[in-house]
Structures are given as C-alpha cells and as structure tokens.
Amino acid sequence: MRNLVNLTLPELTAWMQAELGEPVFRAAQVWQWIWQKMARDFEVMSNVSKTCRVRLAESACIVWPQIVSTEQSRDGTTKFLLLLDDGALIESVLIPSDDRKGKRRWTQCLSSQVGCAMGCTFCATGQMGFERNMTMGEMLGQVLVARDWLDDTRPDRPLLRNLVFMGMGEPLLNMRELLRALTSLNDGKGLNFSPRRLTVSTCGIEKGLSVLGQNGLAYLAVSLHAPNQRLRERIMPKAARWPLDKLITTLKSYPLKTRERITFEYLLLGDVNDSLEHARELAHLVGDVKGKLNLIVYNQTTGSPYAASDTERILAFEQYLWSRHITVVLRKSKGQDINAACGQLKADRRSQAAKFSRRSCSHFIK
Ligand code: SF4
C-alpha cells in the first residue's frame, strides 16, 4: 500500500495517472483533501468519483504518525512523542505565543531524523546516536498531527503559524527529504506555508547550506554555541569539523531576501561560553553577517555536565553585544516542567534508569 502522505504533488499526479488512469485535476483534489482538509479516509473525499475512491482505497492509504503521549507545560508548550510506521519514536513540540491582538498562535518544532549523528554534548538526541533519516511524509505528518490536535482547520486563518526544523536530527544531513518537505509545504493548495514562515536550523553542513541557499524555500538558523573553533570542537565536536571561520565566510555570502536575516543560536552554558571575552569573540565573529542573535538561557537539569549561567553574566553578555550593535534576543527555555528539549522524552522512554535531561541546541527552548 502506498502512503500518499509521502508523495509530492507531481509524484501523486504521476502515480494516479499511471496506476489509476486518473487525470491531473483528480490528483489536485486528493492532494487538497490530504493536506488542507486533513482527510485520512478516501470515503470522505466527496468531489472524487466513487470509482476512484474505491480504487484508491485498494491501492493506497493515508497514514500519519501516531501519538504515543502528549505532555503539556504550564506555559502551554506541548510535546508529542510520536510513533512512526517502523516503530521508531520521534518528538515534536508546539510552542505558543500571543499575536498583537492577543490571539494565541503556535510554532511547531519538527524533527527531521530519528536520532542524530552530530553528537553535540549538551543534547539528549545527540547522545542517542543516529537511527535513520525521516521521510517527507514523516516530517509533514507531524504537522498534520499538530493541526488535528489544535483543531486548526481554517487555511485562511491558521493557528499554526510557523514551522521550525529544530527538532531531533540535523536537517541538512537529510537534504533530499527536507527539500521535498519544504516544496510541499510551500504549495498553495497544500499546507501553504510561505518560506518566511519556515526556518531550517543547522549546526552548519557545508554542502547542505549551499543547496538550501539556492532553493530559498525557508529561512536559515545556525547553531553556533561557541565563539571560537577550540570551544566549538569541545562542545560540538562533529559540527566543528567544518572550521568556524569557513562557516562564517560562507554565511557572509549566503543568499538572503530583502528583509531576511540569518538567526544565530547561542546557548549560554555557565562558565563555559558566557564570559565577556566570549561575548567579544562572538561580536567579532558575527558582526559582519546580516543576522540576529538568539541568546538562550540554559537551565541545569539532572545528569547534565553543564550548569546555568549567573543572571549577572547573562545580562553583561547581552549588554556587551548590544553595545557592539548586534541585535540580540534573550530567550528563556519553554516547557521546562515537561523536559521540552529535543530527545528528552524519547530518552526517558528508552532508559527510565538513566534519564537524559540535557539541553538541545536551540530545540524547543525558544
Ligand atoms: S543539537 Fe541538533 S545537531 Fe546537535 S546533536 Fe542535537 S539534534 Fe543533532
């Protein structure tokens, strides 16, 4: 059985023509049912002929990831543990915010791989190792699950406003499926997310960055977390294989739209990367890049090798960057009471005896 959630519109069109002899417009109708009306049963597709619906049901299915558990924080942050077809577990997080009129809107943090090969030392997912890449259907299935949970059925006024690929995995190491997912998200007859509502977060993968830049399908966030190569090698050993100066040089010529800026993520780890000297190095590093900086406050958790920064150090760090004309946003972790950093829920499931409580790069802590 072919899971239609895993086909782009051109693929669905080609498949329906070849397998069912259906015209192009029929695929567009089915596509709209799957992505906008969130149908999971061909029977409800009322503008599709009965014969076609029967044949679809014989040869295809519409399968979303299954919710294993849902945890909701006091601040509204909601975390899903999801089961994929082959039994793999991934996480996805919904983060609330209120718009100018006080209406609640949501950002979803999406996973792109089962586990992660990058091994960042502050990240629970990184400690699990890599299992496999996720498919386009699995990435976008997270969006369908969230929209269903939010009862978000009005494409003209969506509650789910932004999607960030900052969950489990390094998205640029799953480039093929990521591009299929972004293309499908951009489709006006599908989920209809414009590139400015999509962000891909990476710790810096040379080849992937150039492909993403050429496509312009999403905004870019880069997880720095260290202002110099030596420290980066210590806390993000695999990411640091691409030297920091080369990463920054590449970012200086990264293609950006008129109002677009690169977001740098910097997690403040107590007495590791949070001194004024580090702030000076950081200002020097990113000062010439068209970007803004998210400073993320780390909260120490059981079993973590890292500690939180003192409030005075955080404020001094932030102030120094402002004094060097760097746009800084200081962010506190959300969903702390539910361990909302990526990998934590899955880690808890995998090993009740040895719980991870480490923080991920920028994942779920915006
Ligand atoms: S922080 Fe991101 S890139 Fe690093 S190990 Fe975790 S998931 Fe992978």
Side-chain angles (χ1 to χ4, degrees):
M1 282 261 178
R2 188 168 281 256
N3 185 2
L4 298 191
V5 171
N6 204 27
L7 297 182
T8 62
L9 180 55
E11 289 165 355
L12 177 67
T13 307
W15 180 79
M16 285 185 66
Q17 279 179 321
E19 294 291 321
L20 311 179
E22 292 290 343
V24 172
F25 78 89
R26 188 72 78 210
Q29 288 173 328
V30 172
W31 176 261
Q32 221 164 356
W33 276 104
I34 293 172
W35 296 109
Q36 291 198 339
K37 299 175 191 168
M38 297 191 293
R40 279 190 272 185
D41 186 344
F42 297 111
E43 200 45 50
V44 301
M45 299 182 179
S46 50
N47 57 351
V48 175
S49 72
K50 177 80 183 160
T51 323
C52 178
R53 278 183 274 153
V54 170
R55 297 187 64 201
L56 278 168
E58 284 167 359
S59 51
C61 54
I62 303 168
V63 179
W64 301 359
Q66 281 177 49
I67 298 179
V68 175
S69 66
T70 308
E71 292 188 14
Q72 194 155 27
S73 160
R74 282 189 293 275
D75 63 26
T77 302
T78 304
K79 183 164 188 169
F80 302 102
L81 183 67
L82 300 174
L83 180 71
L84 306 181
D85 243 12
D86 64 350
L89 291 170
I90 53 131
E91 300 173 4
S92 200
V93 176
L94 276 174
I95 303 152
S97 60
D98 294 326
D99 69 11
R100 282 190 211 123
K101 292 181 186 158
K103 292 223 166 91
R104 186 142 274 209
R105 297 286 181 248
W106 299 83
T107 294
Q108 187 176 16
C109 191
L110 302 173
S111 291
S112 55
Q113 294 182 314
V114 183
C116 183
M118 297 309 290
C120 303
T121 55
F122 44 78
C123 171
T125 302
Q127 308 311 305
M128 288 173 197
F130 175 72
E131 289 181 38
R132 68 170 173 86
N133 279 329
M134 287 169 62
T135 63
M136 171 197 112
E138 291 168 339
M139 290 188 217
L140 300 190
Q142 297 169 80
V143 182
L144 292 171
V145 167
R147 287 193 63 210
D148 188 51
W149 189 85
L150 292 169
D151 198 17
D152 185 13
T153 48
R154 288 192 52 179
D156 55 327
R157 296 185 59 194
L159 299 173
L160 184 56
R161 299 290 297 172
N162 300 297
L163 301 177
V164 290
F165 286 83
M166 290 186 186
M168 301 173 82
E170 166 50 65
L172 298 193
L173 289 180
N174 186 9
M175 205 63 209
R176 181 177 173 272
E177 294 301 304
L178 178 72
L179 287 180
R180 294 175 74 230
L182 292 174
T183 307
S184 295
L185 282 165
N186 284 181
D187 189 290
K189 293 197 192 82
L191 286 167
N192 195 21
F193 278 81
S194 77
R196 69 191 157 75
R197 291 168 57 202
L198 301 171
T199 300
V200 172
S201 175
T202 176
C203 55
I205 305 293
E206 186 173 8
K207 193 171 163 213
L209 262 185
S210 97
V211 176
L212 190 69
Q214 282 157 20
N215 283 279
L217 293 168
Y219 280 15
L220 175 68
V222 177
S223 299
L224 276 185
H225 309 316
N228 61 58
Q229 176 65 14
R230 201 153 44 93
L231 187 52
R232 209 159 190 255
E233 279 168 8
R234 196 174 119 204
I235 65 176
M236 302 172 76
K238 292 199 181 155
R241 285 179 190 166
W242 191 24
L244 199 47
D245 55 344
K246 295 218 164 80
L247 168 63
I248 296 295
T249 304
T250 301
L251 294 177
K252 283 180 185 163
S253 56
Y254 187 84
L256 296 170
K257 299 188 181 82
T258 315
R259 297 181 64 188
E260 185 181 351
R261 283 188 291 174
I262 294 168
T263 303
F264 289 105
E265 310 281 358
Y266 193 96
L267 179 63
L268 287 163
L269 303 166
D271 294 323
V272 174
N273 64 356
D274 63 345
S275 71
L276 270 185
E277 183 50 32
H278 291 130
R280 269 185 215 106
E281 286 182 298
L282 185 58
H284 182 68
L285 192 70
V286 302
D288 292 339
V289 184
K290 194 180 164 200
K292 59 179 175 173
L293 189 77
N294 281 348
L295 279 185
I296 303 153
V297 178
Y298 180 76
N299 285 286
Q300 190 174 16
T301 46
T302 321
S304 168
Y306 298 110
S309 297
D310 295 342
T311 308
E312 300 84 69
R313 278 171 91 86
I314 294 171
L315 295 178
F317 199 99
E318 183 193 12
Q319 225 162 30
Y320 179 82
L321 291 168
W322 276 115
S323 77
R324 298 295 306 272
H325 310 293
I326 310 273
T327 305
V328 186
V329 182
L330 184 61
R331 299 201 184 265
K332 292 210 170 132
S333 302
K334 288 208 167 182
Q336 287 171 31
D337 51 320
I338 57 164
N339 278 349
C342 90
Q344 291 183 331
L345 196 56
K346 177 168 171 169
D348 282 354
R349 284 282 163 137
R350 278 167 57 142
S351 173
Q352 294 293 338
K355 284 184 182 175
F356 287 107
S357 291
R358 294 180 190 173
R359 191 65 57 201
S360 71
C361 53
S362 49
H363 307 18
F364 313 139
I365 44 185
K366 293 189 161 186

